[in-house]
Amino acid sequence: MLLWHRLVGAQVRSQLQYRISFVLDLVGAFLISFVDFLAVLVIFHNVLRLGTWNVHEVALLYALSTISFAFTDLLVGHLDQFPQKIRDGNFDILLARPRGTLFQVVASDFQLRRLGRAVQGVAVLVFALDGLQLHWTVGRLAMLLVTIPSAVVIFASVWVVGSCLAFWTTDGGEFTNAFTYGGTFLAQYPIDILSSWLRRFLAYIVPLAFVAYFPALYILDKPDPLGLPRALEFAAPFVALVGVGVARTAWRFAVRHYRSAGG
Amino acid sequence: MIEVEQLTKTFVVRRGRLRRERHVVEAVRGISFTVARGELLGYLGPNGAGKSTTIKMLTGILVPSSGRVQVAGLDPSRRRVQLAQRIGAMFGQRVQLWWDLPLADSFELLRHIYRVPADRHRANLARFREVLELDPFLQTPVRQLSLGQRIRGELTAAMLHDPELLFLDEPTIGLDVVAKQRVRDFLIEINRERGVTVLLTTHDLGDIERLCTRLLVIDHGTLIWDGGIADLKARYGGERTLVVDLEEPAAPLDVEGAEVERVEGPRQWLRFRGPAAELTTRVAATARLVDLQIAEPDIEEIVRRIYSSGG
């Protein structure tokens, strides 16, 4: 943890050296992700409800998913360039150092500008809460505070598992993106509007329904249009734990394969 | 320091787009050697001969298919993290420094990665700054360094945690004469003063001649030479080639002390031993010369000769 702090700190310092360029990057990240939300607004310009969900309810889903993904991107976003590391052999350098490889990969590049997306997510959250006029109970607040870190961990686990493919394919990057960037996109919408196989896939295989959908049901005190057990609303932290286990195992397996097959 | 016994590494390569055929490639085939503490030895061979694969097995990056390896008393593939603490590695074409950070920051981060005590780090860095003359670019981001400056940075990075053993893959590739000399001096110093065992791969005969006392040559995954430089040169490297351009095509020249290897129009290749001056005079006396040059056998050539003679 201390080492992470140092590795990341050095990069943040160097990024902040060029103030104007950093601010532009941040604004750019904010605006690009804002276009996503415009899409939501366009839909609701034409329809009043999406399934049983109104615009502010969908905005809540969107905000939960976006804020969590922004932090995931900030923490492990470098996995995006990971296939490149395998291809040019620079992964070997990490193996020649006395530290864990996954840790070194994610700490080797930290882009503070990715916070721009989180800023946008918070803006949408304010919009959602303003429209919903919820009565804030301890339970709702706790759910909001627990959901975001759990969702970050779930997203990160999916990302790590997806990145493991790079050890076999060396250019599976796009395939992985379908689950990470594509996954956030899906998690921004209520899953009951999706076809049933896609819904099951999101709930049980790539567990992105726990990122926003189930916690939002609790916060909104909304009956599940799908009639799934209410216990699922509290499952995010447990799903996150399972995710960490799966991701660790997958990564270890992949590195072992790499070391015996030689990339 | 290093013990290798019957070390083998095979890869499965799949070829073809639709009908994928499996090919088993033996990158390293049952090599054995030992390296004593404090040795400085060269490891060479043509591209694809198995050099990098061997080094990757010695550093624990790759797991051997069969055979036994011990480095600093550890099994590299099982004790990768522990071993990494005790060895240094530099791969000439790879970057282990942080691209966007000043060189000094990279060193500081490596100090934490390797858990080097602050005073030890300071003393080492001070020494390397002096020997490798790092001060002019210590605060420059790595992406702005010249190749020579970056290699000096990489060498420092590989040495900051006081490794007992240093693996260098092509440390002087692409460097100019001055930078090359600086790197060589540095290697001699750390070998003599700190007793660091160094194993380097190179294509540069100069590196080998100035640095190493012992040489391992690998080709097609098999060790074909393990011995001193002097022996090697006496056996395979003593011959040079005089290339002469005559005014017009002629029959192979008959000159004492040389043997014509090849004729191509007015150009002839003569293999000889000993000083070139006498031979040149003799050639000039028998034919009308336009131009001439002397080709030193490069390491590839020597390797080819060893290989064709079956070791």
Side-chain angles (χ1 to χ4, degrees):
Chain A
M1 206 55 209
L2 187 67
L3 177 63
W4 185 84
H5 179 80
R6 291 193 194 278
L7 289 169
V8 165
Q11 295 175 57
V12 168
R13 267 198 306 284
S14 97
Q15 284 160 28
L16 291 180
Q17 269 190 348
Y18 305 94
R19 283 279 155 73
I20 296 175
S21 134
F22 174 72
V23 169
L24 286 177
D25 276 352
L26 203 61
V27 171
F30 175 85
L31 289 178
I32 287 173
S33 55
F34 192 69
V35 173
D36 285 348
F37 189 62
L38 280 183
V40 175
L41 293 181
V42 166
I43 293 171
F44 279 97
H45 187 73
N46 292 301
V47 297
L48 276 176
R49 283 175 179 278
L50 211 50
T52 63
W53 300 71
N54 68 31
V55 64
H56 292 102
E57 290 169 338
V58 172
L60 178 67
L61 285 178
Y62 179 95
L64 285 176
S65 166
T66 304
I67 294 171
S68 315
F69 186 72
F71 281 108
T72 309
D73 194 26
L74 186 68
L75 294 174
V76 304
H78 187 55
L79 284 173
D80 221 14
Q81 271 116 58
F82 176 65
Q84 176 66 30
K85 255 197 167 60
I86 293 278
R87 219 172 310 142
D88 59 24
N90 277 324
F91 186 68
D92 291 348
I93 288 190
L94 306 186
L95 276 170
R97 287 185 186 152
R99 297 285 182 156
T101 46
L102 181 56
F103 168 78
Q104 291 188 69
V105 171
V106 299
S108 66
D109 182 47
F110 187 88
Q111 298 292 340
L112 201 56
R113 64 154 188 272
R114 291 177 177 140
L115 272 182
R117 191 196 295 263
V119 175
Q120 188 251 155
V122 170
V124 174
L125 184 66
V126 169
F127 166 81
L129 296 180
D130 181 54
L132 289 167
Q133 291 300 329
L134 293 170
H135 169 65
W136 282 101
T137 62
V138 176
R140 280 179 168 157
L141 194 63
M143 179 58 83
L144 190 66
L145 294 182
V146 170
T147 296
I148 291 174
S150 308
V152 170
V153 173
I154 294 172
F155 271 133
S157 310
V158 171
W159 211 332
V160 169
V161 172
S163 300
C164 289
L165 287 174
F167 286 99
W168 281 268
T169 61
T170 67
D171 46 20
E174 286 307 318
F175 185 75
T176 308
N177 288 348
F179 291 94
T180 52
Y181 295 101
T184 21
F185 176 75
L186 283 178
Q188 286 164 355
Y189 291 88
I191 62 166
D192 56 303
I193 65 166
L194 302 174
S195 66
S196 67
W197 68 267
L198 192 55
R199 204 189 303 146
R200 279 192 203 112
F201 187 66
L202 278 186
Y204 304 115
I205 313 290
V206 185
L208 294 180
F210 296 90
V211 162
Y213 180 79
F214 290 122
L217 287 178
Y218 178 85
I219 293 174
L220 298 170
D221 196 19
K222 196 178 166 71
D224 188 346
L226 299 169
L228 293 167
R230 298 218 68 164
L232 289 175
E233 290 168 13
F234 306 96
F238 304 102
V239 173
L241 280 179
V242 172
V244 170
V246 171
R248 272 176 73 108
T249 312
W251 184 265
R252 284 207 183 140
F253 178 74
V255 171
R256 199 175 313 142
H257 163 82
Y258 175 85
R259 292 175 65 204
S260 57
Chain B
M1 199 73 207
I2 303 177
E3 281 174 57
V4 174
E5 226 179 88
Q6 290 301 315
L7 186 64
T8 299
K9 181 75 196 173
T10 54
F11 296 113
V12 176
V13 182
R14 291 191 171 80
R15 274 189 220 140
R17 285 258 156 204
L18 292 171
R19 280 187 34 204
R20 311 260 276 171
E21 287 172 54
R22 278 167 55 106
H23 287 263
V24 177
V25 179
E26 282 193 296
V28 174
R29 316 178 180 195
I31 63 173
S32 305
F33 61 90
T34 54
V35 178
R37 192 174 284 272
E39 272 196 274
L40 202 169
L41 76 162
Y43 189 41
L44 59 145
N47 288 327
K51 281 177 301 191
S52 303
T53 308
T54 315
I55 291 200
K56 283 182 191 173
M57 287 191 280
L58 293 176
T59 46
I61 294 170
L62 288 183
V63 182
S65 305
S66 70
R68 206 180 64 89
V69 197
Q70 283 241 307
V71 177
L74 299 169
D75 175 345
S77 63
R78 293 226 183 96
R79 315 288 285 277
R80 176 184 76 77
V81 171
Q82 263 167 299
L83 182 66
Q85 193 75 49
R86 294 173 56 184
I87 62 175
M90 188 200 120
F91 306 95
Q93 338 254 40
R94 310 266 155 84
V95 189
Q96 74 155 318
L97 302 163
W98 279 258
W99 205 240
D100 292 321
L101 301 184
L103 193 54
D105 285 15
S106 281
F107 294 154
E108 183 62 18
L109 291 180
L110 284 167
R111 169 168 103 73
H112 295 292
I113 286 182
Y114 285 93
R115 303 179 175 94
V116 183
D119 49 344
R120 189 76 208 127
H121 176 81
R122 214 172 305 123
N124 277 341
L125 188 54
R127 185 72 192 121
F128 300 146
R129 270 164 58 183
E130 191 189 320
V131 182
L132 289 168
E133 294 173 42
L134 303 176
D135 284 344
F137 51 91
L138 207 53
Q139 297 305 327
T140 311
V142 171
R143 67 183 129 79
Q144 290 171 16
L145 298 181
S146 73
L147 178 66
Q149 292 170 333
R150 208 195 80 212
I151 296 287
R152 275 139 72 192
E154 296 274 355
L155 272 175
T156 308
M159 280 298 300
L160 275 174
H161 57 287
D162 281 324
E164 302 157 47
L165 173 62
L166 190 58
F167 292 102
L168 303 169
D169 194 8
E170 305 279 359
T172 60
I173 196 165
L175 296 186
D176 63 47
V177 186
V178 182
K180 238 176 218 181
Q181 196 49 48
R182 211 176 260 136
V183 168
R184 286 173 185 159
D185 290 345
F186 175 75
L187 293 179
I188 290 171
E189 161 159 341
I190 59 161
N191 177 251
R192 292 214 183 117
E193 290 185 9
R194 294 169 179 246
V196 177
T197 312
V198 183
L199 190 147
L200 71 136
T201 74
T202 181
H203 277 92
D204 190 317
L205 195 56
D207 283 348
I208 302 288
E209 279 182 292
R210 297 210 171 72
L211 295 174
C212 310
T213 46
R214 182 179 157 204
L215 204 57
L216 300 172
V217 182
I218 188 170
D219 197 11
H220 293 96
T222 314
L223 213 52
I224 56 176
W225 176 268
D226 178 356
I229 307 280
D231 294 346
L232 182 82
K233 287 188 80 178
R235 243 167 101 178
Y236 302 100
E239 289 184 336
R240 293 185 290 173
T241 308
L242 180 71
V243 186
V244 294
D245 287 333
L246 307 176
E247 270 187 352
E248 50 200 37
L253 298 175
D254 183 21
V255 189
E256 193 197 328
E259 203 179 313
V260 177
E261 208 175 30
R262 218 168 113 202
V263 179
E264 220 171 73
R267 177 171 286 194
Q268 300 200 3
W269 282 259
L270 290 83
R271 228 168 43 200
F272 70 102
R273 280 174 184 272
E278 293 165 29
L279 180 68
T280 317
T281 324
R282 262 176 270 151
V283 171
T286 50
R288 295 176 70 93
L289 278 174
V290 179
D291 203 355
L292 60 81
Q293 66 191 64
I294 294 165
E296 300 281 340
D298 56 10
I299 212 73
E300 306 270 328
E301 175 66 28
I302 293 182
V303 171
R304 247 192 316 277
R305 283 182 203 167
I306 303 175
Y307 196 73
S308 60
S309 70

